[in-house]
Amino acid sequence: MARGSRCRLHWRRGWLGALIGVTLGIVAGFTGGWVDAILMRLVDMQLAFPLVLFALLVVAALGPSLTNLIIVLGITSWTQYARIVRGQVLALREREFVLSARAAGAGSLRIMARHILPNVMTPVLVVGTLELARIIVMDAALSFLGLGVQPPTPSWGRMLADGRVYITSAWWVVTFPGLAIALTVLSVNLLGDWLRDYFDPKARQ
C-alpha cells in the first residue's frame, strides 16, 4: 500500500479520538465547575495508565479487527485533544465576542458550536498531526503482536513480525517496512512542527 494511502487510513483511525477529545474539552472548559473537575480527573486517570498496556488489554478483550483497532486508538488519543482544547476554551470564554453572544441571548450550545469551536481548530489541527505519528507507531506495535488489522489488509507491523525470522538471510524483508514506519513518522512530526510554527505569529516573525 502506498504511503499516502497508509496515512489516509491512519487519519481515519485518529478522527474518533479527536472527536471525543474536542467535544469533552469544549464542554469541560466552557462549563467549568464539577463537570470540568470530573472530566479532567478522567484525563488524569487515563494518562496515569500505560497506553500500550491499555491498548493491549482492550484489543485482547474485543479481538483483533480494524473496527476494534479504531476504537482502541480513539480511546487512547482523546486525552491530548481534551487538555489542549480545554485550555483554549478557558481563555476564549471570557473574550468579548463570547460575552456579546451571551448578552444577545445565544444559548451555550450555540456559543460552543458557532464561536468557540472555530477558534480552537488551529491547535486541534497541530495536535492531530502530532498524534498521527503516535497512532502509526501504536498501530505497528499492535500489528507486530498480532492484535492489529488482520490479513489480507497490509500492515507494516505484521510485515516486521513475518520477516523477523529471515533477518539473517534476507535483511531487506524487515529493513524496508521498518524504514517506511520511521520515515512516515518523521515526515508527520516535521509536518506538525511546521504547522505549529506557521500558526504561531511569534514563530513566523
Short mmCIF file of all heavy atoms in Angstrom, two decimals, residues 82-146:
data_model
loop_
_atom_site.label_atom_id
_atom_site.label_comp_id
_atom_site.label_asym_id
_atom_site.label_seq_id
_atom_site.Cartn_x
_atom_site.Cartn_y
_atom_site.Cartn_z
N ALA A 82 -8.39 16.80 24.57
CA ALA A 82 -9.22 17.37 25.64
C ALA A 82 -8.44 18.40 26.45
O ALA A 82 -8.96 19.48 26.76
CB ALA A 82 -9.73 16.26 26.56
N ARG A 83 -7.19 18.11 26.79
CA ARG A 83 -6.41 19.05 27.61
C ARG A 83 -6.09 20.32 26.84
O ARG A 83 -6.18 21.43 27.38
CB ARG A 83 -5.12 18.37 28.07
CG ARG A 83 -5.35 17.19 28.99
CD ARG A 83 -4.07 16.59 29.49
NE ARG A 83 -3.41 17.47 30.45
CZ ARG A 83 -2.28 17.16 31.07
NH1 ARG A 83 -1.69 15.99 30.83
NH2 ARG A 83 -1.73 17.99 31.93
N ILE A 84 -5.69 20.19 25.57
CA ILE A 84 -5.36 21.36 24.78
C ILE A 84 -6.59 22.23 24.55
O ILE A 84 -6.56 23.47 24.73
CB ILE A 84 -4.74 20.94 23.43
CG1 ILE A 84 -3.39 20.25 23.65
CG2 ILE A 84 -4.58 22.15 22.52
CD1 ILE A 84 -2.33 21.13 24.25
N VAL A 85 -7.70 21.61 24.16
CA VAL A 85 -8.91 22.36 23.86
C VAL A 85 -9.45 23.03 25.13
O VAL A 85 -9.90 24.18 25.08
CB VAL A 85 -9.96 21.44 23.23
CG1 VAL A 85 -11.32 22.14 23.12
CG2 VAL A 85 -9.51 21.00 21.84
N ARG A 86 -9.41 22.33 26.24
CA ARG A 86 -9.90 22.92 27.49
C ARG A 86 -9.13 24.20 27.82
O ARG A 86 -9.72 25.22 28.21
CB ARG A 86 -9.76 21.93 28.64
CG ARG A 86 -10.08 22.52 30.02
CD ARG A 86 -9.84 21.52 31.12
NE ARG A 86 -10.05 22.12 32.42
CZ ARG A 86 -9.11 22.71 33.14
NH1 ARG A 86 -7.87 22.82 32.65
NH2 ARG A 86 -9.38 23.22 34.32
N GLY A 87 -7.82 24.16 27.68
CA GLY A 87 -7.03 25.36 27.95
C GLY A 87 -7.38 26.51 27.03
O GLY A 87 -7.44 27.68 27.47
N GLN A 88 -7.63 26.22 25.77
CA GLN A 88 -8.03 27.26 24.83
C GLN A 88 -9.39 27.84 25.18
O GLN A 88 -9.60 29.06 25.11
CB GLN A 88 -8.05 26.70 23.41
CG GLN A 88 -6.70 26.28 22.88
CD GLN A 88 -5.80 27.47 22.60
OE1 GLN A 88 -6.24 28.47 22.09
NE2 GLN A 88 -4.54 27.35 22.96
N VAL A 89 -10.32 26.97 25.56
CA VAL A 89 -11.68 27.42 25.87
C VAL A 89 -11.69 28.28 27.13
O VAL A 89 -12.45 29.25 27.21
CB VAL A 89 -12.63 26.20 26.01
CG1 VAL A 89 -14.01 26.65 26.48
CG2 VAL A 89 -12.74 25.47 24.69
N LEU A 90 -10.88 27.94 28.12
CA LEU A 90 -10.82 28.75 29.33
C LEU A 90 -10.44 30.19 29.02
O LEU A 90 -10.90 31.13 29.69
CB LEU A 90 -9.82 28.14 30.32
CG LEU A 90 -10.24 26.84 31.00
CD1 LEU A 90 -9.12 26.29 31.87
CD2 LEU A 90 -11.50 27.04 31.84
N ALA A 91 -9.58 30.38 28.03
CA ALA A 91 -9.20 31.74 27.63
C ALA A 91 -10.26 32.39 26.74
O ALA A 91 -10.48 33.60 26.82
CB ALA A 91 -7.86 31.71 26.91
N LEU A 92 -10.93 31.59 25.91
CA LEU A 92 -11.87 32.16 24.96
C LEU A 92 -13.22 32.52 25.58
O LEU A 92 -13.89 33.44 25.10
CB LEU A 92 -12.11 31.17 23.81
CG LEU A 92 -10.97 30.95 22.82
CD1 LEU A 92 -11.29 29.80 21.89
CD2 LEU A 92 -10.71 32.22 22.03
N ARG A 93 -13.61 31.81 26.61
CA ARG A 93 -14.97 32.02 27.13
C ARG A 93 -15.17 33.39 27.77
O ARG A 93 -16.32 33.80 27.99
CB ARG A 93 -15.32 30.92 28.13
CG ARG A 93 -14.56 30.97 29.44
CD ARG A 93 -14.99 29.85 30.35
NE ARG A 93 -14.33 29.94 31.66
CZ ARG A 93 -14.57 29.08 32.66
NH1 ARG A 93 -15.40 28.07 32.47
NH2 ARG A 93 -13.94 29.23 33.81
N GLU A 94 -14.08 34.09 28.08
CA GLU A 94 -14.19 35.43 28.65
C GLU A 94 -13.90 36.52 27.61
O GLU A 94 -13.83 37.70 27.97
CB GLU A 94 -13.22 35.59 29.83
CG GLU A 94 -13.42 34.57 30.94
CD GLU A 94 -14.81 34.65 31.56
OE1 GLU A 94 -15.39 35.77 31.56
OE2 GLU A 94 -15.32 33.62 32.03
N ARG A 95 -13.75 36.13 26.35
CA ARG A 95 -13.48 37.12 25.30
C ARG A 95 -14.75 37.90 24.97
O ARG A 95 -15.88 37.46 25.21
CB ARG A 95 -12.95 36.42 24.05
CG ARG A 95 -11.61 35.71 24.25
CD ARG A 95 -10.47 36.71 24.31
NE ARG A 95 -10.33 37.43 23.06
CZ ARG A 95 -9.62 36.97 22.03
NH1 ARG A 95 -8.98 35.80 22.11
NH2 ARG A 95 -9.52 37.69 20.93
N GLU A 96 -14.55 39.06 24.35
CA GLU A 96 -15.68 39.96 24.11
C GLU A 96 -16.73 39.35 23.19
O GLU A 96 -17.94 39.53 23.41
CB GLU A 96 -15.17 41.27 23.49
CG GLU A 96 -14.37 42.16 24.43
CD GLU A 96 -12.95 41.67 24.61
OE1 GLU A 96 -12.57 40.70 23.93
OE2 GLU A 96 -12.21 42.27 25.42
N PHE A 97 -16.31 38.63 22.15
CA PHE A 97 -17.30 38.10 21.21
C PHE A 97 -18.17 37.02 21.85
O PHE A 97 -19.34 36.86 21.49
CB PHE A 97 -16.62 37.56 19.95
CG PHE A 97 -15.68 36.41 20.17
CD1 PHE A 97 -16.13 35.10 20.10
CD2 PHE A 97 -14.33 36.65 20.44
CE1 PHE A 97 -15.26 34.05 20.29
CE2 PHE A 97 -13.46 35.60 20.63
CZ PHE A 97 -13.92 34.29 20.57
N VAL A 98 -17.61 36.29 22.82
CA VAL A 98 -18.41 35.29 23.53
C VAL A 98 -19.39 35.98 24.48
O VAL A 98 -20.57 35.61 24.57
CB VAL A 98 -17.51 34.31 24.29
CG1 VAL A 98 -18.34 33.35 25.14
CG2 VAL A 98 -16.65 33.53 23.32
N LEU A 99 -18.91 36.99 25.19
CA LEU A 99 -19.79 37.73 26.09
C LEU A 99 -20.89 38.45 25.32
O LEU A 99 -22.05 38.53 25.79
CB LEU A 99 -18.97 38.74 26.90
CG LEU A 99 -17.89 38.15 27.82
CD1 LEU A 99 -17.12 39.26 28.51
CD2 LEU A 99 -18.52 37.20 28.84
N SER A 100 -20.57 38.96 24.13
CA SER A 100 -21.59 39.62 23.30
C SER A 100 -22.64 38.62 22.84
O SER A 100 -23.85 38.94 22.84
CB SER A 100 -20.93 40.29 22.10
OG SER A 100 -20.01 41.28 22.51
N ALA A 101 -22.21 37.43 22.43
CA ALA A 101 -23.17 36.42 22.01
C ALA A 101 -24.06 36.00 23.17
O ALA A 101 -25.27 35.79 23.00
CB ALA A 101 -22.42 35.21 21.45
N ARG A 102 -23.49 35.88 24.37
CA ARG A 102 -24.29 35.52 25.53
C ARG A 102 -25.30 36.63 25.86
O ARG A 102 -26.45 36.35 26.20
CB ARG A 102 -23.39 35.26 26.73
CG ARG A 102 -24.10 34.56 27.89
CD ARG A 102 -23.21 34.55 29.12
NE ARG A 102 -21.97 33.84 28.85
CZ ARG A 102 -21.84 32.52 29.00
NH1 ARG A 102 -22.89 31.80 29.37
NH2 ARG A 102 -20.68 31.95 28.77
N ALA A 103 -24.84 37.90 25.76
CA ALA A 103 -25.74 39.02 26.03
C ALA A 103 -26.87 39.11 25.00
O ALA A 103 -27.97 39.58 25.31
CB ALA A 103 -24.95 40.33 26.06
N ALA A 104 -26.58 38.64 23.77
CA ALA A 104 -27.60 38.66 22.72
C ALA A 104 -28.61 37.54 22.86
O ALA A 104 -29.56 37.46 22.08
CB ALA A 104 -26.94 38.59 21.35
N GLY A 105 -28.42 36.67 23.84
CA GLY A 105 -29.39 35.61 24.10
C GLY A 105 -29.02 34.26 23.51
O GLY A 105 -29.84 33.34 23.53
N ALA A 106 -27.80 34.11 22.99
CA ALA A 106 -27.38 32.83 22.44
C ALA A 106 -27.21 31.81 23.55
O ALA A 106 -26.68 32.12 24.64
CB ALA A 106 -26.08 32.98 21.66
N GLY A 107 -27.65 30.59 23.30
CA GLY A 107 -27.51 29.52 24.27
C GLY A 107 -26.10 28.97 24.31
O GLY A 107 -25.26 29.26 23.45
N SER A 108 -25.85 28.14 25.30
CA SER A 108 -24.50 27.58 25.48
C SER A 108 -24.08 26.72 24.29
O SER A 108 -22.94 26.81 23.82
CB SER A 108 -24.43 26.76 26.78
OG SER A 108 -24.67 27.58 27.90
N LEU A 109 -24.99 25.89 23.79
CA LEU A 109 -24.66 25.02 22.66
C LEU A 109 -24.33 25.84 21.42
O LEU A 109 -23.39 25.52 20.68
CB LEU A 109 -25.80 24.05 22.37
CG LEU A 109 -26.06 22.96 23.41
CD1 LEU A 109 -27.26 22.11 23.02
CD2 LEU A 109 -24.82 22.08 23.57
N ARG A 110 -25.09 26.89 21.18
CA ARG A 110 -24.84 27.74 20.02
C ARG A 110 -23.49 28.45 20.15
O ARG A 110 -22.73 28.57 19.18
CB ARG A 110 -25.96 28.76 19.86
CG ARG A 110 -25.77 29.67 18.65
CD ARG A 110 -26.93 30.65 18.51
NE ARG A 110 -26.73 31.54 17.38
CZ ARG A 110 -27.04 31.26 16.13
NH1 ARG A 110 -27.56 30.08 15.84
NH2 ARG A 110 -26.84 32.13 15.16
N ILE A 111 -23.18 28.94 21.35
CA ILE A 111 -21.91 29.63 21.56
C ILE A 111 -20.74 28.67 21.35
O ILE A 111 -19.75 29.01 20.70
CB ILE A 111 -21.86 30.24 22.97
CG1 ILE A 111 -22.89 31.37 23.10
CG2 ILE A 111 -20.46 30.77 23.28
CD1 ILE A 111 -23.00 31.95 24.48
N MET A 112 -20.87 27.44 21.90
CA MET A 112 -19.78 26.47 21.75
C MET A 112 -19.59 26.08 20.29
O MET A 112 -18.45 25.90 19.84
CB MET A 112 -20.05 25.24 22.62
CG MET A 112 -19.85 25.48 24.11
SD MET A 112 -19.96 23.96 25.10
CE MET A 112 -21.74 23.69 25.08
N ALA A 113 -20.71 25.91 19.55
CA ALA A 113 -20.61 25.45 18.16
C ALA A 113 -20.22 26.57 17.20
O ALA A 113 -19.42 26.35 16.28
CB ALA A 113 -21.94 24.83 17.73
N ARG A 114 -20.73 27.78 17.40
CA ARG A 114 -20.54 28.86 16.43
C ARG A 114 -19.37 29.77 16.76
O ARG A 114 -18.80 30.40 15.86
CB ARG A 114 -21.82 29.71 16.35
CG ARG A 114 -23.02 28.97 15.80
CD ARG A 114 -22.87 28.70 14.31
NE ARG A 114 -22.75 29.92 13.56
CZ ARG A 114 -23.77 30.64 13.12
NH1 ARG A 114 -25.01 30.23 13.38
NH2 ARG A 114 -23.58 31.75 12.41
N HIS A 115 -19.00 29.88 18.03
CA HIS A 115 -17.99 30.85 18.42
C HIS A 115 -16.74 30.21 19.02
O HIS A 115 -15.63 30.69 18.78
CB HIS A 115 -18.57 31.85 19.41
CG HIS A 115 -19.75 32.61 18.88
ND1 HIS A 115 -19.63 33.67 18.02
CD2 HIS A 115 -21.09 32.43 19.08
CE1 HIS A 115 -20.83 34.14 17.72
NE2 HIS A 115 -21.74 33.41 18.34
N ILE A 116 -16.91 29.15 19.81
CA ILE A 116 -15.76 28.51 20.46
C ILE A 116 -15.06 27.54 19.53
O ILE A 116 -13.83 27.59 19.35
CB ILE A 116 -16.20 27.80 21.75
CG1 ILE A 116 -16.78 28.80 22.75
CG2 ILE A 116 -15.02 27.05 22.37
CD1 ILE A 116 -15.80 29.80 23.29
N LEU A 117 -15.83 26.63 18.93
CA LEU A 117 -15.24 25.56 18.11
C LEU A 117 -14.36 26.09 16.98
O LEU A 117 -13.23 25.60 16.81
CB LEU A 117 -16.34 24.65 17.56
CG LEU A 117 -15.88 23.48 16.70
CD1 LEU A 117 -14.95 22.57 17.49
CD2 LEU A 117 -17.07 22.69 16.17
N PRO A 118 -14.79 27.07 16.17
CA PRO A 118 -13.91 27.54 15.09
C PRO A 118 -12.58 28.11 15.59
O PRO A 118 -11.58 28.05 14.88
CB PRO A 118 -14.76 28.61 14.39
CG PRO A 118 -16.17 28.27 14.73
CD PRO A 118 -16.12 27.72 16.11
N ASN A 119 -12.56 28.64 16.80
CA ASN A 119 -11.36 29.27 17.32
C ASN A 119 -10.39 28.29 17.97
O ASN A 119 -9.29 28.70 18.36
CB ASN A 119 -11.74 30.36 18.32
CG ASN A 119 -12.29 31.60 17.66
OD1 ASN A 119 -11.55 32.42 17.13
ND2 ASN A 119 -13.61 31.73 17.67
N VAL A 120 -10.78 27.03 18.13
CA VAL A 120 -9.87 26.03 18.70
C VAL A 120 -9.39 25.04 17.65
O VAL A 120 -8.64 24.12 17.97
CB VAL A 120 -10.54 25.27 19.87
CG1 VAL A 120 -10.95 26.21 20.97
CG2 VAL A 120 -11.73 24.44 19.39
N MET A 121 -9.78 25.22 16.40
CA MET A 121 -9.43 24.25 15.38
C MET A 121 -7.95 24.29 14.99
O MET A 121 -7.39 23.29 14.57
CB MET A 121 -10.30 24.45 14.13
CG MET A 121 -11.76 24.08 14.34
SD MET A 121 -11.98 22.45 15.11
CE MET A 121 -11.28 21.38 13.85
N THR A 122 -7.33 25.46 15.13
CA THR A 122 -5.90 25.54 14.78
C THR A 122 -5.05 24.66 15.69
O THR A 122 -4.27 23.83 15.19
CB THR A 122 -5.42 26.99 14.83
OG1 THR A 122 -6.10 27.75 13.82
CG2 THR A 122 -3.93 27.06 14.57
N PRO A 123 -5.13 24.78 17.03
CA PRO A 123 -4.35 23.85 17.86
C PRO A 123 -4.78 22.41 17.70
O PRO A 123 -3.95 21.50 17.83
CB PRO A 123 -4.59 24.36 19.29
CG PRO A 123 -5.82 25.19 19.21
CD PRO A 123 -5.81 25.79 17.85
N VAL A 124 -6.05 22.17 17.41
CA VAL A 124 -6.51 20.80 17.19
C VAL A 124 -5.83 20.20 15.97
O VAL A 124 -5.44 19.02 15.96
CB VAL A 124 -8.05 20.76 17.04
CG1 VAL A 124 -8.51 19.41 16.50
CG2 VAL A 124 -8.71 21.03 18.38
N LEU A 125 -5.68 21.00 14.92
CA LEU A 125 -5.02 20.53 13.71
C LEU A 125 -3.57 20.16 13.99
O LEU A 125 -3.07 19.13 13.53
CB LEU A 125 -5.09 21.60 12.62
CG LEU A 125 -4.39 21.30 11.30
CD1 LEU A 125 -5.00 20.07 10.65
CD2 LEU A 125 -4.47 22.50 10.36
N VAL A 126 -2.88 20.99 14.77
CA VAL A 126 -1.49 20.72 15.11
C VAL A 126 -1.38 19.46 15.97
O VAL A 126 -0.55 18.57 15.71
CB VAL A 126 -0.86 21.93 15.83
CG1 VAL A 126 0.56 21.60 16.26
CG2 VAL A 126 -0.88 23.15 14.92
N VAL A 127 -2.22 19.35 17.00
CA VAL A 127 -2.20 18.16 17.87
C VAL A 127 -2.56 16.91 17.08
O VAL A 127 -1.96 15.85 17.26
CB VAL A 127 -3.17 18.36 19.05
CG1 VAL A 127 -3.29 17.06 19.87
CG2 VAL A 127 -2.70 19.48 19.95
N GLY A 128 -3.52 17.03 16.17
CA GLY A 128 -3.91 15.88 15.36
C GLY A 128 -2.77 15.37 14.49
O GLY A 128 -2.60 14.17 14.32
N THR A 129 -1.98 16.29 13.96
CA THR A 129 -0.84 15.88 13.15
C THR A 129 0.20 15.14 13.99
O THR A 129 0.74 14.11 13.57
CB THR A 129 -0.20 17.11 12.48
OG1 THR A 129 -1.20 17.81 11.74
CG2 THR A 129 0.90 16.69 11.53
N LEU A 130 0.48 15.67 15.18
CA LEU A 130 1.45 15.01 16.06
C LEU A 130 0.92 13.68 16.59
O LEU A 130 1.68 12.73 16.77
CB LEU A 130 1.82 15.95 17.21
CG LEU A 130 2.48 17.27 16.81
CD1 LEU A 130 2.71 18.15 18.03
CD2 LEU A 130 3.80 17.02 16.08
N GLU A 131 -0.40 13.62 16.85
CA GLU A 131 -0.99 12.37 17.32
C GLU A 131 -0.97 11.30 16.24
O GLU A 131 -0.93 10.11 16.53
CB GLU A 131 -2.43 12.62 17.77
CG GLU A 131 -2.56 13.17 19.18
CD GLU A 131 -2.13 12.17 20.23
OE1 GLU A 131 -2.71 11.08 20.30
OE2 GLU A 131 -1.19 12.48 20.96
N LEU A 132 -1.01 11.72 14.97
CA LEU A 132 -0.96 10.76 13.88
C LEU A 132 0.31 9.93 13.94
O LEU A 132 0.27 8.72 13.68
CB LEU A 132 -1.06 11.50 12.54
CG LEU A 132 -0.93 10.64 11.28
CD1 LEU A 132 -2.01 9.57 11.23
CD2 LEU A 132 -0.98 11.51 10.03
N ALA A 133 1.43 10.56 14.27
CA ALA A 133 2.68 9.82 14.38
C ALA A 133 2.60 8.77 15.48
O ALA A 133 3.07 7.63 15.30
CB ALA A 133 3.83 10.80 14.67
N ARG A 134 1.99 9.12 16.61
CA ARG A 134 1.85 8.15 17.70
C ARG A 134 0.93 7.01 17.30
O ARG A 134 1.18 5.84 17.64
CB ARG A 134 1.31 8.84 18.95
CG ARG A 134 1.33 7.96 20.19
CD ARG A 134 0.57 8.64 21.32
NE ARG A 134 -0.83 8.79 21.01
CZ ARG A 134 -1.73 7.81 21.18
NH1 ARG A 134 -1.34 6.62 21.64
NH2 ARG A 134 -2.99 8.02 20.90
N ILE A 135 -0.12 7.32 16.56
CA ILE A 135 -1.05 6.28 16.11
C ILE A 135 -0.37 5.31 15.17
O ILE A 135 -0.60 4.10 15.23
CB ILE A 135 -2.28 6.95 15.45
CG1 ILE A 135 -3.15 7.62 16.51
CG2 ILE A 135 -3.10 5.92 14.68
CD1 ILE A 135 -4.31 8.39 15.93
N ILE A 136 0.49 5.83 14.29
CA ILE A 136 1.21 4.96 13.36
C ILE A 136 2.09 3.97 14.13
O ILE A 136 2.12 2.77 13.83
CB ILE A 136 2.04 5.80 12.38
CG1 ILE A 136 1.13 6.60 11.45
CG2 ILE A 136 2.97 4.91 11.56
CD1 ILE A 136 1.86 7.58 10.57
N VAL A 137 2.81 4.49 15.14
CA VAL A 137 3.69 3.62 15.92
C VAL A 137 2.88 2.60 16.70
O VAL A 137 3.25 1.41 16.76
CB VAL A 137 4.57 4.47 16.86
CG1 VAL A 137 5.38 3.57 17.79
CG2 VAL A 137 5.48 5.37 16.06
N MET A 138 1.78 3.02 17.32
CA MET A 138 0.98 2.07 18.10
C MET A 138 0.31 1.04 17.20
O MET A 138 0.22 -0.14 17.56
CB MET A 138 -0.08 2.83 18.91
CG MET A 138 -0.91 1.92 19.81
SD MET A 138 -1.97 2.81 20.97
CE MET A 138 -0.73 3.47 22.09
N ASP A 139 -0.14 1.47 16.03
CA ASP A 139 -0.72 0.53 15.08
C ASP A 139 0.30 -0.53 14.68
O ASP A 139 0.01 -1.73 14.62
CB ASP A 139 -1.22 1.28 13.86
CG ASP A 139 -1.71 0.35 12.76
OD1 ASP A 139 -2.27 -0.70 13.09
OD2 ASP A 139 -1.53 0.68 11.57
N ALA A 140 1.54 -0.08 14.40
CA ALA A 140 2.59 -1.02 14.02
C ALA A 140 2.91 -1.98 15.17
O ALA A 140 3.14 -3.18 14.96
CB ALA A 140 3.85 -0.26 13.60
N ALA A 141 2.92 -1.45 16.41
CA ALA A 141 3.22 -2.30 17.56
C ALA A 141 2.15 -3.36 17.77
O ALA A 141 2.44 -4.54 18.01
CB ALA A 141 3.36 -1.44 18.81
N LEU A 142 0.88 -2.97 17.68
CA LEU A 142 -0.21 -3.93 17.85
C LEU A 142 -0.22 -4.96 16.72
O LEU A 142 -0.46 -6.14 16.95
CB LEU A 142 -1.54 -3.19 17.92
CG LEU A 142 -1.76 -2.31 19.16
CD1 LEU A 142 -3.07 -1.55 19.05
CD2 LEU A 142 -1.75 -3.15 20.43
N SER A 143 0.04 -4.51 15.50
CA SER A 143 0.08 -5.44 14.38
C SER A 143 1.27 -6.40 14.51
O SER A 143 1.17 -7.58 14.15
CB SER A 143 0.17 -4.66 13.06
OG SER A 143 -0.97 -3.86 12.86
N PHE A 144 2.39 -5.91 15.02
CA PHE A 144 3.55 -6.77 15.25
C PHE A 144 3.23 -7.89 16.23
O PHE A 144 3.70 -9.02 16.09
CB PHE A 144 4.72 -5.93 15.76
CG PHE A 144 5.99 -6.71 15.97
CD1 PHE A 144 6.86 -6.94 14.92
CD2 PHE A 144 6.31 -7.20 17.22
CE1 PHE A 144 8.02 -7.67 15.11
CE2 PHE A 144 7.47 -7.92 17.42
CZ PHE A 144 8.34 -8.16 16.37
N LEU A 145 2.38 -7.58 17.21
CA LEU A 145 1.99 -8.57 18.22
C LEU A 145 0.81 -9.43 17.76
O LEU A 145 0.36 -10.30 18.50
CB LEU A 145 1.63 -7.87 19.53
CG LEU A 145 2.77 -7.12 20.21
CD1 LEU A 145 2.25 -6.35 21.42
CD2 LEU A 145 3.89 -8.07 20.62
N GLY A 146 0.30 -9.16 16.55
CA GLY A 146 -0.82 -9.95 16.04
C GLY A 146 -2.18 -9.46 16.48
O GLY A 146 -3.17 -10.16 16.30
#
